[in-house]
Amino acid sequence: LSRDLAEAAHAEDGGRMWSVTLRTDARWHDGAAVTANDVLATWKALANDGSSETRRNLTDVAGVVSVEAKGSTVRFNLSHPFPELPDILTEMAVLPAHVIESGPGAIEEHPIGAGPFKFLGRAGNTFTMAPHAAWHGGAVRPPSLLVKIIEDDRERGRALARGVIDA
């Protein structure tokens, strides 16, 4: 759960329950509001992913046993007090419920987020991004962004040395 989506987080019940209040001005790239239900849907998807390191950190380390959503508030119920939960939640990339609940692979088919740049398209290993005009953080620069995946270390080093890419 990115810190920029949360307005506040506080512990209750001696640290065994955490309430996170979401920003009300955060929007997905398709214009839908970011809600506590998105966090809950993301949690459910993580809970079913046995290979997720984020799930392991939330359940095994932090002791999250359940998550509840109501309005703009998400409650994380823990098996034991865990004061570092807000830090662990920064590992949780919140996904839009209206996309992920439409089926497996839906987020890959319709990649949207709530960050400063939105996905425009892909050509091979190059992704084109543009500013998210409704981003709650204000004006976004630069006017466009190309993300190129270069898997080979040597090729990546040569491209960096030639000034073809920025690190």
Side-chain angles (χ1 to χ4, degrees):
L1 182 64
S2 181
R3 286 190 193 273
D4 74 340
L5 293 179
E7 216 169 65
H10 66 277
E12 298 174 27
D13 190 24
R16 293 173 52 104
M17 197 276 292
W18 279 85
S19 288
V20 178
T21 304
L22 301 177
R23 297 177 63 113
T24 57
D25 59 348
R27 297 282 178 270
W28 295 110
H29 295 153
D30 64 0
V34 176
T35 68
N37 286 330
D38 296 314
V39 178
L40 181 59
T42 301
W43 167 256
K44 288 177 181 177
L46 282 173
N48 292 324
D49 183 356
S51 65
S52 170
E53 184 176 335
T54 300
R55 183 202 54 79
R56 283 192 302 277
N57 284 341
L58 288 170
T59 58
D60 300 346
V61 177
V64 175
V65 293
S66 68
V67 179
E68 303 164 15
K70 184 176 183 183
S72 62
T73 301
V74 184
R75 290 188 177 195
F76 294 86
N77 299 298
L78 313 179
S79 61
H80 58 273
F82 192 75
E84 296 87 2
L85 183 68
D87 294 327
I88 297 264
L89 289 176
T90 63
E91 297 175 15
M92 187 173 148
V94 178
L95 301 173
H98 64 282
V99 174
I100 62 173
E101 290 174 348
S102 63
I107 195 71
E108 288 83 7
E109 292 176 28
H110 306 286
I112 65 169
F117 288 93
K118 63 182 177 179
F119 175 81
L120 290 182
R122 175 182 181 175
N125 284 344
T126 302
F127 299 82
T128 304
M129 313 285 278
H132 173 31
W135 186 54
H136 54 273
V140 179
R141 292 182 188 205
S144 66
L145 184 66
L146 293 176
V147 178
K148 184 171 184 174
I149 307 298
I150 304 174
E151 295 181 16
D152 182 82
D153 291 339
R154 289 182 189 177
E155 182 184 343
R156 192 171 41 249
R158 286 191 297 270
L160 187 60
R162 289 190 322 263
V164 176
I165 62 171
D166 293 322

